Amino acid sequence: MPSISVIVPVYRAEAFLKTCTDSILGQTWADLELLLVDDGSPDRSGALCDEIAAADSRVRVFHQENSGVSAARNLALGKAAGDYVYFVDSDDWIAPNTLETLLSALRSSGADTAGCGVRYVDQSKVEGAAEPPILPAGVYGHEEIMAGIVDRLLGDRLSRDAVNGYVVRFLFRRSLLEGMAFQGAYLEDELFLMEYFCRSQKLVTVDAPLYYYYWNPASATHRYMPGYLDTFLAFLNAKAALAERCGLLSRVPQWRENTCWAGLLIAVSNEFAPGNSQTAAQQRRRLKELVRMPEFARAMSALVPAGMGRNKQVVADLLRGRHYFLLTALYRMKNRNK
């Protein structure tokens, strides 16, 4: 039985997959299994998964029809045999000592979960900014976890200190994952982390940015998403259900308005993303439609966002002032070469 199960969902990853899996199979902590889930990739990713498995007995491969990253991770979770679970995305990689460092910190502190920092990498694999762990290096009890992670994921989605809900920065205890599953195609990490950390009793974090996050310009999150609003509303409903189930509704009174403001800012940005061929006039009309949507309109009337980064604050202020012409002009100028 391996001590750690590493799960990698795979889709259109032919150009990145070997770098990813080499970084996992070359870990200084070798007592692991690697679960690759080919999510119906139209390229050679599925065949490459099989080749990697043929070369290392620690690798298991599962093939499924294209169902999305949540379904791929859920399939692997049902097959995982390790005491701990670690997630890696197929276009990313990890430092050689990632698993050993996290497991050592977890065991020495008596924690059930360990977290690390993230290093962002560009197309040329030039290392960029490092993001510190979700909480500063140290050991945290349950209420500290609730206040420092769960409450922030629930209701602070606007400020400069908003938490990036990446599951890839944590080593999870598998027994705490029983009955849990990823939901949806967008922001699925946030819901998963909220539920998990309602269960976690002790977290240890280390400063080192052990996870290498490739900033992929071809990623779906960097291009126009026609179905974004439906996806966001499904996420909002799932978040509300989770908050009620876990008794979180009273912890952050305006969590819904905060979440909807964040969703509105993303929706506005999405209208000007590469791949959207609408004219400026059509985009202005679309902005007016967005602010009239019930969820967004309620958020705008109930909460005046503050403490955001400069760009977000400008967009929010222009939306509140109904300055659609200026907002459209600024976005089109910003994205004219994309």
Side-chain angles (χ1 to χ4, degrees):
M1 300 287 287
S3 56
I4 300 175
S5 296
V6 182
I7 292 174
V8 179
V10 179
Y11 183 74
R12 291 187 183 273
E14 183 179 354
F16 314 101
L17 186 58
K18 197 66 167 59
T19 297
C20 173
T21 58
D22 282 352
S23 76
I24 296 166
L25 297 173
Q27 286 290 296
T28 55
W29 183 267
D31 182 25
L32 61 88
E33 65 170 355
L34 171 57
L35 284 68
L36 300 175
V37 183
D38 166 35
D39 186 32
S41 295
D43 59 5
R44 285 196 69 256
S45 293
L48 189 54
C49 287
D50 292 333
E51 293 171 10
I52 293 166
D56 195 313
S57 61
R58 296 174 296 171
V59 182
R60 291 194 283 158
V61 177
F62 305 93
H63 300 275
Q64 66 176 24
E65 293 185 6
N66 181 239
S67 306
V69 64
S70 289
R73 285 172 173 167
N74 291 338
L75 187 156
L77 277 175
K79 304 291 186 180
D83 295 325
Y84 302 95
V85 172
Y86 191 75
F87 296 99
V88 181
D89 289 341
S90 58
D91 54 355
D92 300 335
W93 61 94
I94 55 178
N97 62 334
T98 298
L99 298 182
E100 182 176 14
T101 299
L102 292 176
L103 187 59
S104 175
L106 185 150
R107 288 176 169 174
S108 63
S109 65
D112 50 47
T113 314
C116 65
V118 173
R119 173 78 69 182
Y120 293 97
V121 184
D122 68 12
Q123 286 177 280
S124 302
K125 295 188 177 181
V126 174
E127 295 184 12
E131 183 175 291
I134 201 164
L135 291 173
V139 180
Y140 300 89
H142 179 69
E143 188 50 41
E144 292 172 303
I145 294 170
M146 294 295 293
I149 299 178
V150 177
D151 289 353
R152 292 164 70 193
L153 286 171
L154 175 64
D156 180 12
R157 312 316 302 137
L158 295 170
S159 77
R160 291 183 178 89
D161 297 325
V163 171
N164 283 326
Y166 301 149
V167 296
V168 295
R169 65 167 87 216
F170 296 105
L171 180 66
F172 299 93
R173 186 182 295 274
R174 186 165 66 91
S175 61
L176 293 182
L177 297 172
E178 291 296 328
M180 287 183 56
F182 287 90
Q183 305 176 58
Y186 188 57
L187 300 174
E188 70 284 346
D189 285 19
E190 289 190 10
L191 297 177
F192 191 87
L193 287 183
M194 284 174 60
E195 183 171 3
Y196 178 85
F197 281 115
C198 284
R199 302 178 177 197
S200 175
Q201 297 300 310
K202 198 172 187 180
L203 166 70
V204 60
T205 60
V206 298
D207 268 331
L210 301 172
Y211 189 92
Y212 287 79
Y213 188 108
Y214 172 55
W215 198 253
N216 186 355
S219 168
T221 57
H222 300 153
R223 299 192 61 78
Y224 177 61
M225 296 177 284
Y228 168 75
L229 285 177
D230 289 338
T231 301
F232 172 75
L233 292 175
F235 161 76
L236 183 65
N237 290 334
K239 189 174 186 179
L242 174 63
E244 183 172 6
R245 186 169 72 250
C246 296
L248 304 176
L249 294 177
S250 63
R251 293 185 66 93
V252 185
Q254 285 192 302
W255 74 265
R256 194 178 189 97
E257 291 82 0
N258 194 289
T259 300
C260 286
W261 253 114
L264 173 59
L265 294 178
I266 295 172
V268 169
S269 178
N270 181 54
E271 290 302 315
F272 299 95
N276 186 359
S277 59
Q278 289 185 329
T279 65
Q282 290 172 320
Q283 289 171 327
R284 283 195 298 274
R285 285 197 296 270
R286 186 61 176 151
L287 295 184
K288 296 176 184 179
E289 292 171 1
L290 287 173
V291 300
R292 293 190 190 115
M293 289 183 61
E295 291 287 0
F296 295 148
R298 281 194 291 270
M300 292 180 71
S301 65
L303 178 66
V304 177
M308 300 186 292
R310 180 177 178 275
N311 290 347
K312 285 185 179 180
Q313 193 67 58
V314 168
V315 174
D317 291 344
L318 290 175
L319 285 173
R320 292 183 65 246
R322 306 303 196 263
H323 299 299
Y324 306 120
F325 188 94
L326 179 56
L327 184 55
T328 299
L330 289 175
Y331 258 111
R332 290 180 73 88
M333 185 182 303
K334 173 177 176 284
N335 296 336
R336 64 182 179 272
N337 294 322
K338 292 184 179 181

